[in-house]
Amino acid sequence: MEKQTHFLSFFLLFVCLTMSTVDAVKGWHHHGSVKLFIFGDSYVDTGNLGKFAASWKEPYGINFPGKPSGRFSDGRVLTDYIASFFGIKSPAPFERRNITRKSSEVERGMNFAYGGTGVFNTLVDQPNMTIQIDNFQQLLDRNVYNKDDLRKSVALVSAAGNDYTTFLLTNGSLQYMPVFTKDLVKQLAMDLKRIKWLGVQNVLVTALEPIGCLPALTAQNSHKKCIQSFNSISEFHNRVLKHAVKKLNKESKHKSGRFKILNTYKSFKSALKKNHHINGRLKLKNPLEPCCVGLDGYSCGGVDEKGVKKYMVCKNPELSFFWDSVHPAQNGWHAVYSSLNSSLNRVHKSF
Ligand SMILES: *[C@@H]1O[C@H](CO)[C@@H](O)[C@H](O)[C@H]1NC(C)=O
Ligand SMILES: *[C@@H]1O[C@H](CO)[C@@H](O)[C@H](O)[C@H]1NC(C)=O
Ligand SMILES: *[C@@H]1O[C@H](CO)[C@@H](O)[C@H](O)[C@H]1NC(C)=O
Ligand SMILES: *[C@@H]1O[C@H](CO)[C@@H](O)[C@H](O)[C@H]1NC(C)=O
């Protein structure tokens, strides 16, 4: 009798081992590769926004994948580089997929980000951060992902830029800005906590970029210099965020996996500085100047009612940091990503 039990448990163990090997070979949900979940705005959206968006029109996507693909860039965006760091293909956009547990596309994670959105509702009527996380939770409820699938998982969260734009355009009272920042970060921290609570191991959140360096704002000085009063908004946001993330890590009961800020503020600044000087002299291309510029009040990608293009694209997008008035070009994102590598290495080592 005892022997039989022994045999039975050995057999069951063997079956389990064999089955997990088969799973790994087949590639469905094996535990070797990282799953990446993306939440946020146009800095990370790879195609969730509908076809009405500029990101689905020429000249977006001319360098990668060679045609418009729903990315606000001439090529890759931050998501694509972070995915490559973890050795996976960029996660599929939530909107564009037929999502079932068996689909090979769910294996590398999922992108829930929509261009124009924020932590709160913005001027763009698209899913805010709360709704994006609800979408993720629904996939967990449907068992598209289970707890085990999330053992090696990373979330990348990029938000706040559009919240500030919305605040400045609808409220605009600088006097209330610190209050707004605190409310915003409070909600963002709850969102990060919820993503972790749902089972994602490592939660990365981007700092707010130096908004005073965006071409939309430096246009007023012909892209000669960043505007410090706007960069101060970013600096304050990032200080409050740093404090909130520290608190989240302190409260987190899980030993493994952490909340982490990707310091995109510093990365933008150093990439803009680096691009500016080559061998001690000014490079031809001013890094604060966007490559794609709208004409006669149109934006990059704009076409008038006669079908005439109302924008100009620079000769060498690969030399530009910025693609349009608010978005880095692929070259810019590559530079930003390169300076984030040491933070990313620490996340990778935690697996
Ligand atoms: C979605 O996937 C299921 C299962 O693979 C398939 O039966 C169905 O036809 C697909 N639907 C679409 C719209 O592609
Ligand atoms: C997100 O959007 C939903 C639907 O519009 C809204 O009910 C909710 O309050 C929003 N969340 C936040 C944090 O603003
Ligand atoms: C502006 O924002 C502050 C802080 O969020 C708020 O207290 C105030 O009521 C807002 N004012 C308007 C006109 O929306
Ligand atoms: C990280 O990027 C910097 C800047 O590109 C580079 O100098 C450094 O060697 C990189 N470090 C690693 C570990 O890849």
Side-chain angles (χ1 to χ4, degrees):
M1 191 66 194
E2 206 189 327
K3 243 187 195 155
Q4 241 176 344
T5 322
H6 252 102
F7 175 76
L8 199 61
S9 56
F10 174 77
F11 179 74
L12 283 175
L13 184 68
F14 179 75
V15 168
C16 289
L17 284 173
T18 313
M19 274 171 63
S20 61
T21 313
V22 168
D23 272 357
V25 170
K26 256 168 49 186
W28 304 132
H29 297 273
H30 67 88
H31 303 125
S33 65
V34 170
K35 284 184 177 36
L36 182 59
F37 297 98
I38 314 287
F39 302 90
D41 54 25
S42 56
Y43 279 6
V44 290
D45 183 2
T46 54
N48 279 318
L49 217 50
K51 302 275 172 161
F52 62 87
S55 56
W56 285 106
K57 299 190 173 109
E58 281 179 6
Y60 286 82
I62 48 168
N63 285 324
F64 173 85
K67 57 173 200 251
S69 70
R71 288 169 171 82
F72 283 90
S73 163
D74 60 318
R76 294 170 179 85
V77 294
L78 185 60
T79 302
D80 303 305
Y81 287 111
I82 302 280
S84 79
F85 175 86
F86 289 110
I88 56 174
K89 272 171 73 182
S90 208
F94 171 72
E95 280 280 343
R96 317 241 150 244
R97 297 301 140 192
N98 181 2
I99 301 164
T100 64
R101 187 170 162 77
K102 278 277 158 66
S103 138
S104 65
E105 272 167 332
V106 310
E107 192 199 331
R108 52 189 193 259
M110 186 80 44
N111 190 337
F112 299 95
Y114 291 79
T117 66
V119 170
F120 298 133
N121 285 336
T122 60
L123 301 172
V124 171
D125 186 20
Q126 295 290 330
N128 61 27
M129 181 72 56
T130 310
I131 306 289
Q132 292 177 24
I133 303 171
D134 289 348
N135 289 340
F136 175 49
Q137 184 160 6
Q138 276 168 22
L139 296 189
L140 299 176
D141 293 345
R142 282 171 47 200
N143 200 33
V144 171
Y145 298 106
N146 61 36
K147 284 266 171 211
D148 210 32
D149 294 328
L150 300 183
R151 260 203 336 220
K152 271 171 113 177
S153 55
V154 177
L156 172 66
V157 178
S158 163
N162 294 313
D163 292 293
Y164 283 101
T165 307
T166 304
F167 178 83
L168 289 168
L169 292 176
T170 60
N171 188 313
S173 177
L174 287 178
Q175 174 199 346
Y176 288 122
M177 191 62 94
V179 179
F180 178 72
T181 297
K182 283 176 186 159
D183 289 346
L184 179 63
V185 172
K186 195 171 162 191
Q187 179 61 44
L188 179 55
M190 289 199 295
D191 294 337
L192 300 177
K193 201 170 164 176
R194 185 171 160 220
I195 293 168
K196 184 92 169 66
W197 180 81
L198 288 170
V200 180
Q201 279 294 294
N202 286 280
V203 181
L204 311 178
V205 58
T206 58
L208 185 58
E209 74 280 1
I211 56 176
C213 299
L214 298 178
L217 289 167
T218 60
Q220 60 182 264
N221 62 35
S222 310
H223 308 296
K224 282 202 186 68
K225 58 176 200 291
C226 299
I227 301 165
Q228 185 51 41
S229 57
F230 283 102
N231 282 354
S232 299
I233 295 173
S234 302
E235 286 162 13
F236 182 66
H237 173 90
N238 293 335
R239 276 201 301 277
V240 178
L241 180 63
K242 195 173 168 184
H243 186 77
V245 166
K246 207 180 213 172
K247 200 160 154 243
L248 285 177
N249 277 323
K250 221 181 250 171
E251 288 168 3
S252 175
K253 289 187 193 82
H254 304 270
K255 284 257 159 43
S256 64
R258 309 258 299 165
F259 298 95
K260 189 155 189 51
I261 294 175
L262 292 181
N263 196 345
T264 40
Y265 183 92
K266 207 171 134 198
S267 309
F268 267 63
K269 273 291 191 79
S270 69
L272 288 170
K273 209 181 286 164
K274 210 176 284 167
N275 261 13
H276 216 64
H277 296 94
I278 294 255
N279 302 328
R281 75 197 157 85
L282 217 58
K283 226 167 119 179
L284 276 179
K285 185 79 194 162
N286 171 2
L288 294 178
E289 217 174 275
C291 174
C292 182
V293 185
L295 306 169
D296 309 329
Y298 285 83
S299 307
C300 171
V303 174
D304 73 9
E305 56 280 3
K306 291 190 197 110
V308 178
K309 287 180 184 175
K310 287 293 182 180
Y311 60 88
M312 271 179 6
V313 179
C314 68
K315 254 201 205 114
N316 298 306
E318 62 278 11
L319 296 180
S320 291
F321 180 86
F322 285 111
W323 167 244
D324 64 17
S325 60
V326 284
H327 302 106
Q330 169 168 296
N331 173 48
W333 278 126
H334 184 261
V336 168
Y337 161 68
S338 299
S339 71
L340 293 174
N341 61 11
S342 62
S343 313
L344 291 168
N345 275 325
R346 276 195 295 268
V347 175
H348 209 223
K349 281 199 193 106
S350 77
F351 286 124

